[in-house]
Amino acid sequence: QWDRDVIPALVHPYMAYICLSQQGQSCTDPPPIKCSCNCHGVLKQVTAVYMDHLEYIKLQICPCAPAPLQLVQRGLFPCSPVYPALAVSL
């Protein structure tokens, strides 16, 4: 699933994250992704691992706003392709 679905979908969000961070802009709290499928999604807590601390992030996950996409936009890489419980700072 990583090769076929997740990694290809994260290339452009990762490049956007790199571009913003090189411009000195904060990427830790990006604007929320607008849900286009009109579902209620699933609320998921993810532990973010940084070099000097841990942080707990709540994500509203749905098919049009998957967890890996939301995490990469925050500068984190998910440790699972669908419902990650842990993400590591890029």
Side-chain angles (χ1 to χ4, degrees):
Q1 192 167 8
W2 283 106
D3 296 10
R4 184 187 60 226
D5 299 325
V6 179
I7 299 296
L10 296 180
V11 172
H12 290 292
Y14 174 72
M15 297 304 284
Y17 166 78
I18 293 297
C19 184
L20 286 174
S21 63
Q22 287 178 346
Q23 294 172 3
Q25 296 182 25
S26 174
C27 302
T28 56
D29 197 18
I33 298 171
K34 301 284 187 202
C35 178
S36 61
C37 64
N38 295 321
C39 70
H40 296 291
V42 175
L43 187 62
K44 176 75 175 164
Q45 180 171 300
V46 178
T47 303
V49 179
Y50 295 93
M51 292 294 287
D52 57 349
H53 71 284
L54 296 177
E55 192 174 308
Y56 301 99
I57 300 169
K58 290 188 180 180
L59 301 176
Q60 188 74 27
I61 302 169
C62 76
C64 61
L69 172 63
Q70 293 184 56
L71 291 167
V72 167
Q73 288 178 330
R74 287 181 160 86
L76 299 163
F77 191 82
C79 292
S80 169
V82 181
Y83 294 111
L86 186 72
V88 180
S89 173
L90 292 171

